[in-house]
Amino acid sequence: MKTVHEVSRFTGISVRTLHHYDAIGLLKPTEVTEAGYRLYDDAALGRLQIILMFRELRFPLKEIKKIMDSPGFDREEALAQQIRLLELQREHIGGLIAFAREIQEKGVNRMDFNAFRNEEMERYAKEVRERWGDTDAYKEFEERKKGKDGGDFKAAAEKMQALFAEIGLLRRRQPSEEEVQEKVRALQDLITENFYHCTDEILGGLGEMYVCDERMKRNIDRAGGAGTAEFAREAIRIYCRK
């Protein structure tokens, strides 16, 4: 675990910026000590990397939070999208450099502004925003938040942890067994009742996140025991194929 000052020295991000990220809910510390010190683990630093990559691509903080809070957010897919955007950015900058050198070498002014056009990157960036930020599930989640306080979501989160504890008790069984599948159905219903309409597609994406997102994996395994996140993912895969 690293303190906010250690994270600042390690990443080059100011303490003030990290405090701001915490305040807007973009990057919450893993733990806050009784003395009020913010502590960050590797999962939090991994999230920070994704945030900074989006910042390099000139995504506003509000949009980054919207993307990363999307119910179906997939870290690996987002990283692949960031790589493509960076490649498009590199191609665009390469074109600008070539254009500037041509003007420098020939010593003439060209009335050509094509080098400044960047429609492909803008179009792809728009697709990324639409992929994560404008889903019906996210809009529904935002609407529900307006009518609830933090205590409602905390209670729902506690119910979810309790359900993962129940799933953990079954992890020595086959994930296809009816009792296990009933727990998956209960999980889907819990999400639908408290957050957004959880379709099989969304549930399948969440199942992958339960393993790929280190923080989520750790929290689920803490609730149900080591291996619960992996077991839940397999049970969800079977449930969604039915």
Side-chain angles (χ1 to χ4, degrees):
M1 300 276 270
K2 287 183 170 58
T3 66
V4 68
H5 290 283
E6 288 172 334
V7 171
S8 177
R9 289 195 296 270
F10 181 64
T11 64
I13 305 301
S14 71
V15 170
R16 182 178 180 181
T17 296
L18 291 168
H19 284 178
H20 179 60
Y21 286 177
D22 180 11
I24 65 175
L26 180 59
L27 180 69
K28 305 296 290 184
T30 308
E31 183 182 322
V32 178
T33 68
E34 292 183 0
Y37 293 107
R38 295 171 172 86
L39 300 177
Y40 298 82
D41 62 5
D42 289 345
L45 293 178
R47 181 178 173 91
L48 180 58
Q49 285 180 328
I50 297 294
I51 293 168
L52 296 180
M53 198 79 77
F54 275 122
R55 290 297 287 156
E56 286 293 323
L57 292 164
R58 302 294 185 267
F59 278 65
L61 292 177
K62 186 176 180 180
E63 284 191 3
I64 297 173
K65 185 177 186 301
K66 194 174 183 181
I67 289 170
M68 298 187 73
D69 286 349
S70 175
F73 179 73
D74 185 300
R75 177 188 173 92
E76 294 303 317
E77 183 179 349
L79 184 58
Q81 291 169 335
Q82 290 174 332
I83 290 170
R84 180 57 185 148
L85 283 168
L86 288 167
E87 288 173 343
L88 290 170
Q89 189 177 74
R90 180 179 61 189
E91 291 170 11
H92 177 63
I93 293 174
L96 286 173
I97 292 172
F99 179 67
R101 281 178 175 163
E102 186 176 354
I103 293 176
Q104 184 184 51
E105 291 169 2
K106 294 184 177 179
V108 295
N109 292 323
R110 289 178 53 197
M111 291 296 103
D112 181 358
F113 292 86
N114 287 323
F116 299 97
R117 300 170 70 93
N118 200 17
E119 287 96 339
E120 188 175 358
M121 182 172 177
E122 291 169 2
R123 183 171 59 251
Y124 192 79
K126 182 174 181 291
E127 290 176 6
V128 173
R129 293 183 178 97
E130 290 174 348
R131 166 68 179 89
W132 302 114
D134 292 324
T135 62
D136 291 338
Y138 185 84
K139 291 174 183 175
E140 184 180 352
F141 177 65
E142 286 294 297
E143 284 300 314
R144 289 197 188 189
K145 275 203 324 188
K146 294 176 183 177
K148 294 187 177 184
D149 59 30
D152 293 326
F153 286 108
K154 182 180 180 182
E158 289 173 353
K159 288 180 183 177
M160 190 174 295
Q161 286 299 91
L163 186 51
F164 279 124
E166 294 174 12
I167 292 173
L169 293 175
L170 301 172
R171 68 187 186 281
R172 305 301 180 195
R173 310 263 290 272
Q174 291 299 315
S176 59
E177 288 186 25
E178 184 57 32
E179 190 175 356
V180 178
Q181 291 297 295
E182 286 177 0
K183 296 298 182 185
V184 174
R185 189 178 299 109
L187 175 64
Q188 187 177 38
D189 290 343
L190 179 63
I191 295 169
T192 296
E193 290 168 8
N194 293 278
F195 302 103
Y196 46 80
H197 180 59
C198 185
T199 64
D200 288 352
E201 181 182 4
I202 290 175
L203 183 64
L206 288 172
E208 297 303 316
M209 285 178 63
Y210 292 159
V211 174
C212 296
D213 187 303
E214 285 299 322
R215 181 176 293 187
M216 294 182 77
K217 183 175 185 293
R218 185 175 56 254
N219 287 338
I220 292 170
D221 284 352
R222 184 182 297 144
T228 300
E230 291 274 2
F231 180 74
R233 178 177 67 174
E234 291 308 310
I236 288 170
R237 282 177 175 175
I238 292 168
Y239 178 88
C240 293
R241 285 201 298 264
K242 289 182 178 180

